[in-house]
Amino acid sequence: MQRPTPDQLLNFFQSDFFPATGIDYELVISQFYERFDPQFDQAVFNGIGIHIDRIVREPFVIEEGEALETKTTVHFQFLKNPGEVFSFILWGEIEEQPFFASSQEELLDFFEFRFRRFQKFLNR
């Protein structure tokens, strides 16, 4: 599943599923992204030599009867090695929120640790 564009969301929110009584669509769309698809700063990733291609969120259940969690798969490329897509998984909000809130230095450490053999592609 790919991130919906603002135009796709506007089309959906203006459909027959929602009442058309004085809705501030810009506010609804911004709240949607804030709540369900938080933005990340691509410039921070570019600064360490990474381009995020897409982020895929899927529900999963750890144990029967527990609340759903989200499995987030991040697909990316090294800017110095374009064309080859890599990915990693963040399990639940406990991993996703700190990852996207990381500083540039923390992100660099993360990618160096997970992708050691590709360190030459990172901006250090």
Side-chain angles (χ1 to χ4, degrees):
M1 181 169 67
Q2 290 187 345
R3 180 181 200 268
T5 66
D7 288 339
Q8 289 171 325
L9 284 176
L10 181 61
N11 186 35
F12 176 65
F13 289 134
Q14 288 178 336
S15 70
D16 295 335
F17 290 111
F18 299 95
T21 54
I23 295 174
D24 181 348
Y25 290 109
E26 285 186 26
L27 178 62
V28 170
I29 290 169
S30 70
Q31 288 296 309
F32 173 87
Y33 286 130
E34 186 175 313
R35 182 177 286 176
F36 300 108
D37 192 27
Q39 277 286 42
F40 62 95
D41 188 353
Q42 182 67 61
V44 172
F45 289 92
N46 288 349
I48 65 169
I50 299 289
H51 176 77
I52 302 294
D53 285 335
R54 70 185 197 283
I55 298 170
V56 180
R57 290 180 178 86
E58 302 170 285
F60 76 94
V61 177
I62 295 175
E63 288 186 26
E64 198 64 36
E66 288 189 10
L68 282 177
E69 284 283 347
T70 303
K71 176 180 102 172
T72 303
T73 306
V74 179
H75 301 271
F76 72 95
Q77 296 181 49
F78 292 101
L79 293 174
K80 295 178 184 174
N81 185 35
E84 190 171 359
V85 178
F86 301 90
S87 66
F88 58 90
I89 295 174
L90 301 170
W91 295 98
E93 286 185 23
I94 197 164
E95 286 189 3
E96 182 177 344
Q97 287 179 351
F99 175 79
F100 287 111
S102 295
S103 68
Q104 192 166 330
E105 191 63 33
E106 291 168 330
L107 288 171
L108 193 52
D109 289 344
F110 173 88
F111 281 96
E112 283 183 338
F113 178 74
R114 287 232 181 158
F115 299 93
R116 286 181 197 95
R117 59 182 244 210
F118 299 104
Q119 286 183 14
K120 62 187 175 193
F121 297 135
L122 294 167
N123 296 338
R124 184 54 95 170

